[in-house]
């Protein structure tokens, strides 16, 4: 279907971004698989084919050639959505390398998207504050315990007899 073709193109371009700095790590794979599962517009057989295609694309060096016909069949909003997604893939590990930027530039050019839009998206990602723990979410893990109430704090006390003995010793 046309939806499958668009998803397959997205997988190919995302794999190219993920593979730019070498073999994609497990974090990249998990990120792509999670997104693949959220594409509700695909049937189960199409999702299974995309899983296989993702494994194939990530196993080798994905290429960015021979895509013109598929890209021309997409409308501008679909091309923009694919561009947004590949930028997310590049940002998945929180570090965007110069090689990834060059690949993103090539992809934006292929998708007939404005390269200035790419830099705007990258800039927003670099400067946007990140919520570490969203409000209203229970925190998992260990809680740091508070200090026990019955802990006796020691105060520094001076013995006047020792002080006078030290003064006399110093005078001698």
């Amino acid at each position: 279907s046309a939806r499958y073709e668009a998803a397959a193109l997205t997988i190919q371009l995302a794999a190219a971004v993920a593979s730019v700095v070498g073999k994609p790590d497990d974090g990249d794979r998990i990120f792509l698989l999670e997104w693949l599962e959220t594409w509700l517009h695909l049937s189960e057989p199409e999702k299974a084919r995309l899983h296989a295609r993702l494994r194939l694309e990530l196993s080798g060096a994905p290429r960015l050639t021979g895509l013109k016909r598929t890209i021309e069949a997409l409308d501008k909003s679909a091309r923009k959505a694919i561009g947004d997604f590949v930028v997310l893939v590049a940002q998945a590990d929180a570090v965007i390398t110069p090689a990834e930027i060059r690949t993103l530039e090539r992809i934006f050019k292929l998708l007939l998207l404005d390269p200035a839009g790419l830099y705007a998206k990258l800039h927003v990602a670099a400067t946007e504050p990140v919520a570490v723990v969203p409000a209203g979410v229970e925190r998992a893990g260990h809680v740091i315990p508070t200090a026990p109430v019955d802990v006796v704090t020691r105060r520094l006390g001076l013995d006047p007899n020792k002080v006078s003995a030290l003064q006399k010793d110093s005078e001698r």
Side-chain angles (χ1 to χ4, degrees):
S1 69
R3 294 178 304 200
Y4 172 80
E5 287 297 322
L9 173 67
T10 304
I11 289 291
Q12 185 174 356
L13 296 176
V17 171
S19 302
V20 149
V21 291
K23 191 167 175 91
D25 62 3
D26 289 337
D28 292 327
R29 291 175 193 275
I30 291 169
F31 179 80
L32 290 170
L33 286 171
E34 285 174 354
W35 271 96
L36 195 146
E37 288 302 319
T38 64
W39 293 342
L40 302 175
H41 64 279
L42 298 174
S43 67
E44 287 305 314
E46 287 175 329
K47 282 186 181 181
R49 289 185 68 184
L50 277 181
H51 276 277
R53 186 161 189 153
L54 177 62
R55 283 193 306 274
L56 175 69
E57 294 291 343
L58 292 177
S59 67
R63 54 185 171 72
L64 297 177
T65 57
L67 303 174
K68 189 173 183 176
R69 185 181 55 82
T70 307
I71 291 171
E72 286 175 348
L74 299 173
D75 63 353
K76 184 168 176 102
S77 64
R79 292 192 318 266
K80 185 180 177 307
I82 293 171
D84 291 345
F85 181 72
V86 295
V87 170
L88 280 177
V89 171
Q91 296 167 346
D93 61 357
V95 176
I96 302 173
T97 65
E100 286 174 320
I101 291 174
R102 284 191 298 275
T103 301
L104 287 171
E105 288 171 339
R106 286 184 59 204
I107 289 172
F108 266 59
K109 186 176 178 182
L110 278 171
L111 293 172
L112 307 172
L113 297 174
D114 182 23
L118 166 65
Y119 296 110
K121 291 175 193 324
L122 294 174
H123 179 71
V124 166
T127 59
E128 190 173 85
V130 177
V132 177
V133 178
V137 175
E138 283 195 33
R139 296 180 184 162
H142 301 285
V143 177
I144 299 173
T146 57
V149 178
D150 62 345
V151 172
V152 178
T153 56
R154 297 182 66 186
R155 293 187 178 171
L156 179 62
L158 297 175
D159 183 4
N161 295 331
K162 285 187 178 181
V163 171
S164 71
L166 287 172
Q167 283 178 338
K168 289 177 184 173
D169 186 45
S170 294
E171 288 174 8
R172 270 188 299 197

